[in-house]
Amino acid sequence: MAIERRRFLQAAGVGAVLGLSGCTGSANPPQANNGTTEESQGSQSGSGATQELTLATTTSTYDTGLLDALNPVFEEKFNARVKTISQGTGAAIETARNGDADVILVHARGAEDEFLREGYGVNRRDVMFNDFVVVGPADDPAGISGMSSAADAFATIADAEATFVSRGDDSGTNKKELLIWEAAGVEPSGTWYREIGKGMGDTLVQADQSGAYTLADRGTFLATQDNIDLEIHVQGPLKGGPTILKNPYGVIPVNPAKYPDVNYSLAMAYAGFLTSPEGQEMISNYTANGSQLFFPNALSEDPQFGQYVPENYDGGENASSSASVSDAQFESWVAQHVPEDF
């Protein structure tokens, strides 16, 4: 049954990708520097039939054009074809949970941890990070510009009943947004709060057209800023903002013990490619509109065991401190990988 669903979803995923290319008002993803090296041009796959890998991933990796830089290099090296299903993180995880994907690339650590605990994913790896930002119209009707607290900014928007566009799609961005509303002590509702069930590109366009605020990952905002008039009013931790706006990405192969028909070998190869020195260099060199969109964090001289298992895997007294440990780790990544003049 999973195989039949997969064939359907793979076809649907191609259509979804083509549809998403219109998110930024352009038929193609943003033009970008993909940082491909000469070494990338050589194939390591040898002879044989082309393999297929089904990747379920968040819309930000597509809307930014990053996958268009990475996937062709992987395909050439491994004689493979990557079928991308571009969805919100929640939907991407559900696709894999149903056995309709070989590997996921997503950005909601809590949901990733649940996926691992339930036994659907194995061998998780950190891949890269950026952050979230609160954006809105230049005239800033709620007066949140420069606030150091995302929760305070959200509370101010709610008090002013300024229009806020929510993705409302169970994506990683939507999950983060809901955490911030919770921290603000606000249950958003009313005509000023609009849930649209769309990807990040569409959400930014709709917020721009309606003079609204929204929460965006910095990468997609930077990649689309030429097509919208929104401005960043609350910065994320890449520029000294609150750590609650952190945005790490992870890659997780689907467990072949759950679904023996998944292409586990190729899924592991894809995870290895993204976290290899070559893949990490490509992510680091990838830019759009003159800005680096993602910062690679897979490689470290020191052991990073926390990436492989749920953050509070050992339970007990360490479970209560997992959030602070995660924040400290992210702050360390920023200090190590983000230039001071970013």
Side-chain angles (χ1 to χ4, degrees):
M1 296 295 292
I3 294 301
E4 292 179 1
R5 286 199 306 272
R6 178 181 296 187
R7 291 194 184 109
F8 170 77
L9 284 171
Q10 286 172 341
V14 174
V17 168
L18 292 175
L20 279 168
S21 65
C23 290
T24 61
S26 171
N28 298 303
Q31 294 297 312
N33 167 24
N34 63 21
T36 304
T37 63
E38 291 182 6
E39 180 184 352
S40 302
Q41 305 305 317
S43 174
Q44 297 178 357
S45 61
S47 59
T50 299
Q51 299 186 72
E52 293 184 347
L53 179 77
T54 301
L55 166 68
T57 186
T58 176
T59 61
S60 61
T61 57
Y62 177 79
D63 284 353
T64 58
L66 177 65
L67 292 181
D68 287 321
L70 293 171
N71 285 354
V73 178
F74 173 80
E75 290 173 332
E76 183 177 354
K77 291 176 74 69
F78 291 91
N79 190 24
R81 178 188 175 198
V82 179
K83 294 185 176 181
T84 302
I85 302 174
S86 182
Q87 308 168 292
T89 282
I93 290 176
E94 189 62 25
T95 294
R97 185 178 278 112
N98 291 335
D100 295 315
D102 301 304
V103 63
I104 59 174
L105 176 61
V106 292
H107 65 138
R109 186 60 195 265
E112 294 170 47
D113 284 352
E114 182 178 0
F115 186 70
L116 293 171
R117 286 192 199 97
E118 293 174 347
Y120 289 101
V122 293
N123 301 325
R124 183 196 178 277
R125 291 294 309 277
D126 291 327
V127 176
M128 60 190 182
F129 68 92
N130 59 17
D131 60 358
F132 293 102
V133 290
V134 183
V135 302
D139 60 356
D140 188 22
I144 65 168
S145 188
M147 283 188 171
S148 59
S149 167
D152 288 349
F154 272 34
T156 301
I157 290 171
D159 287 342
E161 295 191 352
T163 305
F164 187 99
V165 175
S166 168
R167 286 182 58 169
D169 62 350
D170 196 35
S171 62
T173 305
N174 185 219
K175 292 177 185 292
K176 178 67 69 171
E177 177 211 322
L178 295 177
L179 285 175
I180 298 171
W181 286 121
E182 183 180 359
V186 174
E187 293 185 9
S189 62
T191 58
W192 62 274
Y193 184 71
R194 303 176 184 175
E195 296 179 278
I196 64 171
K198 300 287 187 179
M200 193 72 259
D202 278 332
T203 301
L204 284 165
V205 169
Q206 189 154 330
D208 180 51
Q209 292 174 345
S210 55
Y213 295 96
T214 193
L215 183 72
D217 71 276
R218 187 187 295 271
T220 306
F221 175 76
L222 291 174
T224 61
Q225 64 180 343
D226 284 350
N227 301 315
I228 56 178
D229 293 324
L230 301 175
E231 296 182 359
I232 296 176
H233 291 299
V234 178
Q235 291 284 356
L238 298 192
K239 289 198 171 185
T243 308
I244 194 174
L245 294 177
K246 65 186 179 182
N247 188 28
Y249 289 73
V251 61
I252 311 176
V254 173
N255 186 355
K258 288 277 191 182
Y259 293 106
D261 292 318
V262 298
N263 196 334
Y264 177 67
S265 296
L266 198 58
M268 287 294 291
Y270 190 74
F273 169 71
L274 293 181
T275 60
S276 69
E278 179 184 9
Q280 293 284 282
E281 182 180 8
M282 291 181 66
I283 292 169
S284 180
N285 291 338
Y286 184 79
T287 62
N289 292 323
S291 297
Q292 183 174 344
L293 303 190
F294 301 95
F295 295 87
N297 63 337
L299 304 177
S300 172
E301 292 184 0
D302 298 320
Q304 301 286 347
F305 300 123
Q307 67 182 308
Y308 301 110
V309 297
E311 290 183 326
N312 61 349
Y313 179 73
D314 59 349
E317 61 183 23
N318 291 331
S320 62
S321 64
S322 61
S324 60
V325 171
S326 177
D327 285 351
Q329 182 185 55
F330 191 89
E331 291 166 2
S332 175
W333 287 341
V334 171
Q336 292 176 41
H337 301 293
V338 181
E340 291 184 3
D341 59 352
F342 173 72

